[in-house]
Amino acid sequence: MSREAAMPESASSSLPQQVALLPSTSTEIVNTMAHYHRAEMARMAGWRDRIDQTSNWAITVVAAMMSVSLSTPNAHHGVLLFAMLLIFLLLWIEARRYRFFDVYRSRVRTFERYYFAPIFSPGAGEPANWRQMLGDSLREPQFRISYADAFSRRLRRNYIWMFLILLLAWVLKISTPKLQASGGSRDLVSSLWEVAANASLGLAPGWLILTGVAGFYFWLLYVSFRPLDDAAESALAQVHV
């Protein structure tokens, strides 16, 4: 028995109907293009809004924690260390969201570059098979940027400034006797030993906290200015949509 004969009559009759539903005329194709571009723009804008929300939360955390820590001498400097931890968590979340945003942004840019741009300014020819590129992306969506690169990009563009502001506030907190619970009339500490004593956190000595914070910020600087992975698209994970 042949394969065509083995197929149910309903399944074989549905194939021509599916082909007939595909756009065939130029008007139908233009309408499909317009609706598809609008849909990808909406998805891109949705993930862009999620990224902005995470950044807004991070800015709010920085402002609130600095206000609590620097407003009264009774506030512990650990509040600022906790703020650094929260900002790091938000950066981790935003890097994940940025990977999804980059997928839909690349589709929109491909559409605008190879479809709209030749309409407004015709060039020498079509440099790439953009229909095949979009088709492959829709069939098997792949992340176009690694998690490390997304983390580095968001850190370099936005979050490094928040971390630096928290660092300056923390240094001001542990180096100003007037901002300590013990009090004092001096504007600055007289020695590094006093700074280390003010930086203590619970059972952890001050020198350990200073070393940990310094190591963390050196790592942030390295991640911020590290070269990109430039990983091939096939080497990245699939987008779970």
Side-chain angles (χ1 to χ4, degrees):
M1 181 180 296
S2 63
R3 183 178 180 181
E4 290 79 3
M7 293 178 60
E9 183 178 356
S10 59
S12 59
S13 61
S14 63
L15 293 177
Q17 295 178 1
Q18 294 178 0
V19 174
L21 292 176
L22 296 176
S24 56
T25 65
S26 59
T27 302
E28 292 176 345
I29 293 176
V30 170
N31 289 334
T32 301
M33 294 290 187
H35 287 297
Y36 170 71
H37 179 257
R38 188 181 300 112
E40 291 293 350
M41 284 288 295
R43 299 173 80 177
M44 183 189 70
W47 282 103
R48 175 75 258 185
D49 183 64
R50 291 187 179 186
I51 294 175
D52 292 338
Q53 287 180 2
T54 313
S55 299
N56 292 337
W57 294 342
I59 295 173
T60 302
V61 168
V62 171
M65 294 300 186
M66 286 182 59
S67 177
V68 170
S69 179
L70 301 180
S71 61
T72 173
N74 294 325
H76 199 271
H77 71 90
V79 174
L80 295 174
L81 297 178
F82 180 65
M84 296 176 189
L85 179 62
L86 289 180
I87 297 303
F88 182 82
L89 176 61
L90 290 173
L91 172 58
W92 192 268
I93 296 174
E94 184 164 320
R96 174 185 174 276
R97 294 180 174 183
Y98 185 82
R99 297 185 75 197
F100 283 91
F101 165 76
D102 184 69
V103 172
Y104 304 118
R105 181 186 62 175
S106 65
R107 292 180 184 175
V108 172
R109 287 297 300 128
T110 300
F111 200 88
E112 293 175 346
R113 181 178 182 181
Y114 299 119
Y115 183 75
F116 286 113
I119 294 176
F120 295 112
S121 178
E126 189 176 274
N129 189 359
W130 61 275
R131 295 179 181 86
Q132 183 67 34
M133 294 165 56
L134 287 176
D136 294 340
S137 179
L138 290 173
R139 288 188 181 94
E140 296 182 2
Q142 301 280 338
F143 287 114
R144 300 177 60 87
I145 185 174
S146 65
Y147 204 108
D149 286 349
F151 188 93
S152 177
R153 183 172 297 180
R154 298 313 298 168
L155 174 63
R156 181 170 61 252
R157 292 184 177 180
N158 287 343
Y159 281 79
I160 190 63
W161 307 109
M162 303 183 202
F163 280 114
L164 290 177
I165 291 173
L166 288 174
L167 178 62
L168 292 176
W170 183 70
V171 171
L172 178 64
K173 180 71 175 179
I174 63 176
S175 62
T176 305
K178 292 182 179 180
L179 296 178
Q180 299 297 319
S182 58
S185 59
R186 294 171 299 163
D187 293 330
L188 291 175
V189 294
S190 58
S191 64
L192 293 177
W193 298 108
E194 191 174 353
V195 173
N198 294 335
S200 61
L201 183 63
L203 298 178
W207 64 267
L208 182 61
I209 301 299
L210 290 173
T211 303
V213 172
F216 175 69
Y217 272 84
F218 276 119
W219 179 79
L220 287 178
L221 290 176
Y222 165 75
V223 173
S224 182
F225 295 103
R226 60 181 286 275
L228 299 180
D229 292 338
D230 292 331
E233 186 174 348
S234 59
L236 301 176
Q238 289 189 350
V239 182
H240 45 283
V241 294

